[in-house]
Amino acid sequence: MLTIAVDAMGGDFGPAPIVEGTLHALKEREFKALLVGNVSVLKPLIPSEYLDRVSFIESTDVLDMHEAATNALKRKETSIYKAVDLVKDNVADAVVSMGHSGATMSLATLRIGRLKGVLRPAIATIMPTAVNGKVSLVLDVGANVDCKAEHLAQFAVMGEAYVKDILKVAHPKVGLLSNGEEESKGNEITKEAFLLLKQLKSFVGNVEGNNIFDGSVDVIVCDGFVGNILLKTSEGVADSITKIIKQNVRRSPLAIAGAVLMRKVFTVLKKQVDYAEYGGAPLIGINGCAIIGHGKSNAKAVKNAIFQAINFSSSNINTDIENKLAQLEL
Amino acid sequence: MLTIAVDAMGGDFGPAPIVEGTLHALKEREFKALLVGNVSVLKPLIPSEYLDRVSFIESTDVLDMHEAATNALKRKETSIYKAVDLVKDNVADAVVSMGHSGATMSLATLRIGRLKGVLRPAIATIMPTAVNGKVSLVLDVGANVDCKAEHLAQFAVMGEAYVKDILKVAHPKVGLLSNGEEESKGNEITKEAFLLLKQLKSFVGNVEGNNIFDGSVDVIVCDGFVGNILLKTSEGVADSITKIIKQNVRRSPLAIAGAVLMRKVFTVLKKQVDYAEYGGAPLIGINGCAIIGHGKSNAKAVKNAIFQAINFSSSNINTDIENKLAQLEL
């Protein structure tokens, strides 16, 4: 049975949604949860029927969301430090945290270590597309702000492995995010990466921002600076559209009636674009498994992040990445 | 009276929407139009009452949208080459083209020349926000793929001048697009640019992708690679949301009725996010005025692009940019 370490103190809302999400996950899947945090707070939240599959690890410190990630390595009593070390010490198979994402990233990379051949682990995020049931994977979305061409090429290999092994896409298509589809497009680094990526059969060439959402590719490769900006831009567009619709519906009784009749459509839309459906963002390239959840995660997002950790840990992704990277000429 | 040179042959749909848009513009504003293209095609499209304010310049060649921008300089008989040269020769005050944007950009920069002190002209685009009546200006969105910190700093000055002089925002706020709001965030180049931008009173620091649409800043500065990706990403998100709504409405008669009742709301939304409302993208930093329209521009977009050219040319923006750049220490 897999063992998942859960940082029960991280996140914007404290232990409540994390514990609730963990319980939902335990109900649906077979695994053991190691809850790391203030045991006297956590224990009373777990109904007795779950206690055979839940253990507690005491931690007296919490890393605040606004602290510098560099503090994380010194603060050995924080819940995130202890949760990560459970994977390092082979006590747990994976760690899930809704806390400080930069800290989780550095701790997982430095304490658990990288896979053989990996220059830099990357954070990947699953994005919805307009094609029903189809998602795309964008990486890196924040771990690596300044990248070289060989980093981007490795991200492609890691993203392809994730989509194949976890999302079960048989023949993934990998695109390099650029300012145009032609090979001649790109900045200096993506042009160099393009040449390296020609080694991959899955590489379909440059793609543009809109291709993230149209289902034309499975993996979109970019550096963490661009990845973060495109994530926030996407959220911004979706939020603005929602706001404009709400503002204008409020002004007209007819439109209010229309919105009521369309409620089911909006529910489907919300579900399709809701990050909680996808769980968290895997840190790919470490010698283990770390899933980085949104600070604002509700119980459903926590449950899905744990499911991601289970799927990741029960797959061959890490071996596949090492094998593929060994074949990649940089 | 201002004279606006219009590349009547550029764009995806040929002369029809361009001529129609020009006529709409002539109806609403006082200016002279110089239509550049195949005169025997263009002349019959102009009703006689407009002929006193429309002149024709014969051009026998059209630069195809798919040709390399580098060809533009050699092809001296193209409509875009001739239209740009009308500004260079002081025959026209501004040039408007819906044709090859890369070609317009290179021709305008090289034939008309840069303003004193400008290292690189930038293409700016107006973005809608969720705040009614408020827009934001993003630059660069494609002219300069690889930028240095001093280029970004100059873009800030040029964007601020545009927002002040053309959009009439008294005290614009300028943000540097980054992967977080803290000063410590950014890639190597934006961190360097941050230090230069501290010289500007209007500079509010780093902003994130969502701030483009929330009305919190007036000018968002980025390099042309990131700018292009964020434009395409925004289009992609908006298109996907529209598609998902349409797909799901079609499945339910109730939802169809709801959509009919909400029609006015969707019309307002469409208007608010429709690029045609904003016209084209000004190329800022040249010693004149060039407005680069979308290849798919309809007559309304052409009309608004011409209005932009009129507003730009009747303002002091170019003098203001030269004065401000002279004060900027790089």
Side-chain angles (χ1 to χ4, degrees):
Chain A
M1 210 189 299
L2 287 172
T3 301
I4 312 295
V6 179
D7 168 11
M9 308 307 279
D12 295 347
F13 309 126
I18 302 174
V19 169
E20 197 192 331
T22 305
L23 291 173
H24 289 320
L26 284 164
K27 207 171 180 177
E28 295 183 35
R29 298 278 279 270
E30 274 295 314
F31 71 98
K32 275 188 175 169
L34 293 182
L35 294 182
V36 185
N38 186 332
V39 179
S40 62
V41 169
L42 297 173
K43 215 165 187 173
L45 299 173
I46 308 294
S48 58
E49 67 262 39
Y50 290 105
L51 284 176
D52 56 331
R53 288 195 288 142
V54 177
S55 304
F56 303 90
I57 313 288
E58 178 69 23
S59 138
T60 51
D61 194 7
V62 181
L63 193 75
D64 188 86
M65 298 293 258
H66 299 99
E67 290 185 61
T70 41
N71 287 349
L73 279 166
K74 295 173 240 159
R75 298 265 293 279
K76 303 191 178 182
E77 293 304 315
T78 60
S79 54
I80 179 60
Y81 193 102
K82 290 202 157 186
V84 167
D85 262 24
L86 290 170
V87 178
K88 173 184 170 273
D89 297 337
N90 291 314
V91 176
D93 298 287
V95 54
V96 173
S97 177
M98 312 294 146
H100 195 303
S101 58
T104 311
M105 207 258 303
S106 333
L107 283 170
T109 304
L110 296 169
R111 303 289 301 166
I112 302 173
R114 289 167 291 164
L115 287 172
K116 203 182 151 198
V118 168
L119 296 167
R120 294 201 191 165
I123 298 176
T125 190
I126 295 169
M127 299 289 270
T129 80
V131 181
N132 199 8
K134 192 159 188 191
V135 296
S136 65
L137 189 82
V138 180
L139 77 171
D140 176 42
V141 295
N144 308 283
V145 164
D146 288 291
C147 285
K148 292 184 181 162
E150 45 268 46
H151 302 141
L152 297 180
Q154 288 203 338
F155 298 166
V157 169
M158 300 196 292
E160 185 187 358
Y162 187 91
V163 167
K164 258 190 182 165
D165 292 346
I166 319 294
L167 303 181
K168 307 293 179 195
V169 177
H171 301 288
K173 289 180 188 164
V174 177
L176 178 63
L177 191 62
S178 189
N179 59 324
E181 287 187 357
E182 303 87 347
E183 181 169 348
S184 62
K185 293 285 181 169
N187 61 24
E188 281 174 29
I189 288 162
T190 64
K191 280 184 202 166
E192 239 185 276
F194 193 104
L195 299 176
L196 294 175
L197 283 168
K198 283 183 167 178
Q199 296 173 63
L200 301 186
K201 276 183 203 153
S202 55
F203 182 55
V204 298
N206 284 333
V207 295
E208 300 188 76
N210 52 310
N211 298 126
I212 299 168
F213 310 99
D214 68 2
S216 58
V217 277
D218 303 285
V219 178
I220 293 102
V221 173
C222 59
D223 70 39
F225 183 77
V226 170
N228 180 285
I229 287 171
L230 78 82
L231 271 194
K232 297 286 171 67
T233 300
S234 309
E235 286 173 21
V237 174
D239 285 353
S240 297
I241 291 178
T242 311
K243 261 186 209 158
I244 295 172
I245 291 179
K246 280 188 180 164
Q247 280 161 7
N248 286 290
V249 164
R250 244 183 259 127
R251 291 194 192 124
S252 143
L254 266 187
I256 292 174
V260 171
L261 294 175
M262 281 186 73
R263 188 175 285 162
K264 220 179 127 188
V265 173
F266 291 128
T267 308
V268 172
L269 175 66
K270 211 179 153 189
K271 197 175 142 81
Q272 209 157 329
V273 302
D274 184 10
Y275 72 90
E277 294 291 328
Y278 307 110
L283 178 67
I284 313 183
I286 57 163
N287 189 19
C289 169
I291 305 294
I292 300 173
H294 203 295
K296 291 186 168 46
S297 288
N298 56 18
K300 188 200 257 180
V302 173
K303 181 186 81 172
N304 284 321
I306 291 174
F307 287 171
Q308 263 183 308
I310 293 172
N311 295 341
F312 193 111
S313 302
S314 50
S315 78
N316 287 320
I317 177 169
N318 284 347
T319 315
D320 286 346
I321 290 173
E322 288 187 334
N323 291 339
K324 279 278 171 64
L325 286 185
Q327 294 163 32
L328 187 74
E329 282 182 45
L330 296 180
Chain B
M1 210 191 297
L2 287 173
T3 301
I4 312 294
V6 179
D7 168 11
M9 308 307 279
D12 296 348
F13 309 125
I18 302 174
V19 169
E20 198 193 330
T22 306
L23 291 173
H24 289 320
L26 284 164
K27 208 172 180 176
E28 294 182 36
R29 299 278 280 268
E30 274 296 313
F31 71 98
K32 275 188 175 170
L34 293 182
L35 294 182
V36 185
N38 186 331
V39 178
S40 61
V41 169
L42 297 173
K43 213 163 188 174
L45 300 172
I46 307 294
S48 58
E49 67 262 37
Y50 290 105
L51 284 176
D52 55 333
R53 288 194 288 142
V54 178
S55 304
F56 303 90
I57 312 288
E58 178 69 23
S59 138
T60 51
D61 194 9
V62 182
L63 193 75
D64 188 86
M65 298 294 257
H66 299 100
E67 289 185 61
T70 41
N71 287 348
L73 279 165
K74 295 173 240 159
R75 298 265 293 279
K76 303 190 178 182
E77 293 304 315
T78 60
S79 54
I80 179 59
Y81 192 101
K82 290 201 157 188
V84 166
D85 262 25
L86 290 170
V87 179
K88 172 183 171 275
D89 298 337
N90 290 312
V91 176
D93 299 287
V95 54
V96 173
S97 177
M98 312 294 145
H100 195 302
S101 57
T104 311
M105 207 259 303
S106 332
L107 284 169
T109 303
L110 295 169
R111 302 290 300 166
I112 302 174
R114 289 167 291 165
L115 288 172
K116 203 183 152 197
V118 168
L119 296 167
R120 293 197 190 169
I123 298 176
T125 192
I126 295 169
M127 299 289 270
T129 80
V131 182
N132 198 6
K134 192 160 188 191
V135 296
S136 65
L137 189 82
V138 180
L139 78 170
D140 176 45
V141 296
N144 308 284
V145 164
D146 288 290
C147 285
K148 293 183 180 160
E150 45 268 45
H151 302 140
L152 297 179
Q154 288 203 338
F155 298 166
V157 169
M158 300 195 292
E160 185 187 359
Y162 188 91
V163 167
K164 257 190 184 167
D165 292 347
I166 318 294
L167 304 181
K168 307 294 179 195
V169 178
H171 302 288
K173 288 180 189 166
V174 177
L176 178 63
L177 191 62
S178 189
N179 59 324
E181 287 186 357
E182 304 87 347
E183 181 168 349
S184 62
K185 293 285 182 168
N187 60 24
E188 280 174 29
I189 288 161
T190 64
K191 280 184 201 166
E192 241 184 273
F194 192 104
L195 299 176
L196 295 174
L197 282 169
K198 283 183 168 179
Q199 296 173 63
L200 301 185
K201 277 183 203 152
S202 55
F203 182 55
V204 298
N206 284 333
V207 295
E208 301 188 76
N210 52 311
N211 298 125
I212 299 167
F213 310 98
D214 68 3
S216 58
V217 278
D218 303 286
V219 178
I220 293 101
V221 173
C222 59
D223 70 40
F225 183 77
V226 170
N228 180 285
I229 287 171
L230 77 83
L231 271 194
K232 297 285 172 66
T233 300
S234 309
E235 286 174 20
V237 174
D239 285 353
S240 297
I241 291 177
T242 312
K243 262 186 208 156
I244 295 172
I245 290 179
K246 280 186 181 165
Q247 281 161 7
N248 286 288
V249 164
R250 243 182 261 126
R251 289 193 193 123
S252 143
L254 266 189
I256 292 174
V260 171
L261 293 175
M262 280 186 71
R263 187 175 285 163
K264 221 180 126 189
V265 173
F266 291 128
T267 308
V268 171
L269 174 66
K270 211 178 151 190
K271 197 175 143 83
Q272 208 157 331
V273 303
D274 184 11
Y275 72 89
E277 294 292 327
Y278 307 108
L283 178 67
I284 312 183
I286 58 164
N287 189 20
C289 169
I291 306 294
I292 299 173
H294 204 295
K296 291 186 169 46
S297 287
N298 56 17
K300 189 202 256 181
V302 173
K303 181 187 81 173
N304 284 322
I306 291 174
F307 287 171
Q308 263 184 308
I310 294 172
N311 296 341
F312 192 112
S313 302
S314 50
S315 78
N316 288 321
I317 177 170
N318 283 348
T319 316
D320 286 345
I321 289 173
E322 288 187 334
N323 291 340
K324 280 277 172 62
L325 285 185
Q327 293 162 32
L328 187 74
E329 281 181 45
L330 296 180

